[in-house]
Amino acid sequence: MLCLLATTKVTLQSRFSKNDNGGLIYNLLYNSIVFFAVALSFTPFLIIKGIDTPTVISGIIMGVLSTVFQIFYVCAFSTGKMALTVIICDFSMIVPMAFSYFTYHEDFSIINLCGTALALLAFVLCAVNGKKETQKEKNYLRWLAFISVVFLSNSFISINQKVYSMENEVTNPFGFVAVAYITAFILSALLMAFLKGKEKNVTLTVPKGVIISAVLAGICLGVFQCINTYANGIIDGTLLYSTYNCGCSVLSIIVGRALFKEKLSKRQYMGAAVGVAAILLLCL
């Protein structure tokens, strides 16, 4: 799913550079397609298995947070380097890990604590801007604002899933995902319609390749969220979040370098290396 989302970076980047509102509309359109694909794939399970109140409430919360996360995630991709965006997003695992430790008394060793300290150091190394040029500094500040929202929303998405999985004796991952992405689709579509009404000169034309990538990303996202919701109830969050995010961080560096020829500064390469080491320690 990371690779599919990354393929939209170049397309959306040009949209943002021309018109901020126009770029946001395309962002919302892409996310609406992703969310619709998930909702369409999992609604049949919702009809067959039925639904309960905790699933509806948790699903709606997930939908709102997912909308915020995906919008700002693509914004961050479009204004900054993909590898750093994904790595810093992955650092958000520290929040649900701490939540799992303090709320559900899950394991968190001295080695994990060292990993947390390294993750904070890596965050500083990756996020601190080096040379300050007017345009680059403006883009950097926008990226930093976007990635901060991504960090927080991703943290609360994981916490919401953890609470839902732990506080209910019987969970319905398929129904949970269906409600979440029906909510996300409706919110994205409404926001897109509102902005389109204000920007009447914007004509929505999306390449077939982008539509296909959005649909595939949506299907992958739905399957992942079902598995992740189920896993939250049977695997300690301190292990689950670190293991998953370690893989994403390594993959993001490879994809960013291979597909987009991204070049990081020495400080950022150091931060990426420290970040990967931190996540490895958190996996132990």
Side-chain angles (χ1 to χ4, degrees):
M1 189 182 74
L2 170 65
C3 296
L4 290 170
L5 286 171
T7 59
T8 65
K9 178 183 176 182
V10 175
T11 301
L12 290 172
Q13 195 167 28
S14 63
R15 301 290 184 187
F16 275 96
S17 62
K18 293 178 182 178
N19 183 302
D20 283 347
N21 286 335
L24 183 56
I25 291 172
Y26 273 90
N27 183 336
L28 287 165
L29 175 60
Y30 180 82
N31 284 306
S32 294
I33 298 171
V34 172
F35 297 148
F36 180 74
V38 182
L40 186 64
S41 300
F42 288 88
T43 296
F45 294 101
L46 183 64
I47 297 171
I48 294 169
K49 296 193 67 175
I51 199 69
D52 57 87
T53 302
T55 299
V56 171
I57 294 173
S58 297
I60 291 174
I61 293 172
M62 172 78 170
V64 173
L65 291 172
S66 294
T67 303
V68 174
F69 171 78
Q70 292 291 356
I71 288 172
F72 284 92
Y73 201 33
V74 178
C75 287
F77 272 146
S78 301
T79 54
K81 294 177 180 178
M82 192 203 78
L84 291 183
T85 297
V86 177
I87 289 171
I88 293 180
C89 174
D90 290 344
F91 290 159
S92 65
M93 70 177 177
I94 292 173
V95 179
M97 284 177 69
F99 178 83
S100 296
Y101 174 74
F102 288 109
T103 305
Y104 298 111
H105 309 291
E106 295 177 349
D107 291 336
F108 198 76
S109 64
I110 296 297
I111 294 177
N112 297 146
L113 186 61
C114 293
T116 302
L118 283 180
L120 294 173
L121 173 61
F123 182 92
V124 173
L125 290 171
C126 288
V128 171
N129 199 21
K131 297 179 180 179
K132 294 187 177 181
E133 300 175 16
T134 306
Q135 187 59 37
K136 287 186 176 181
E137 178 67 7
K138 184 183 294 185
N139 288 337
Y140 167 76
L141 291 175
R142 291 177 68 196
W143 171 79
L144 190 60
F146 293 146
I147 198 62
S148 297
V149 177
V150 169
F151 183 96
L152 292 172
S153 57
N154 197 40
S155 298
F156 287 112
I157 283 173
S158 296
I159 289 174
N160 179 57
Q161 284 181 305
K162 187 68 179 179
V163 171
Y164 172 70
S165 298
M166 296 296 290
E167 297 298 329
N168 296 284
E169 293 184 6
V170 179
T171 59
N172 181 1
F174 293 105
F176 173 81
V177 170
V179 172
Y181 289 100
I182 289 172
T183 302
F185 168 69
I186 292 172
L187 287 177
S188 296
L190 289 174
L191 285 170
M192 183 179 64
F194 174 74
L195 291 175
K196 182 64 174 66
K198 293 180 65 176
E199 297 288 335
K200 296 182 180 180
N201 59 328
V202 175
T203 303
L204 296 177
T205 55
V206 183
K208 290 182 179 179
V210 174
I211 295 175
I212 292 171
S213 77
V215 172
L216 291 175
I219 294 171
C220 293
L221 177 62
V223 173
F224 163 74
Q225 291 294 7
C226 282
I227 296 172
N228 193 41
T229 302
Y230 175 74
N232 266 281
I234 61 174
I235 302 175
D236 283 358
T238 49
L239 173 62
L240 176 64
Y241 306 131
S242 56
T243 304
Y244 163 69
N245 286 291
C246 177
C248 285
S249 296
V250 174
L251 181 61
S252 70
I253 295 172
I254 296 172
V255 171
R257 183 64 179 168
L259 294 185
F260 301 113
K261 310 299 180 184
E262 291 183 342
K263 294 182 179 179
L264 306 180
S265 67
K266 290 182 179 179
R267 180 190 288 112
Q268 290 171 333
Y269 269 122
M270 186 182 300
V274 172
V276 172
I279 295 170
L280 286 172
L281 286 177
L282 287 165
C283 289
L284 297 177

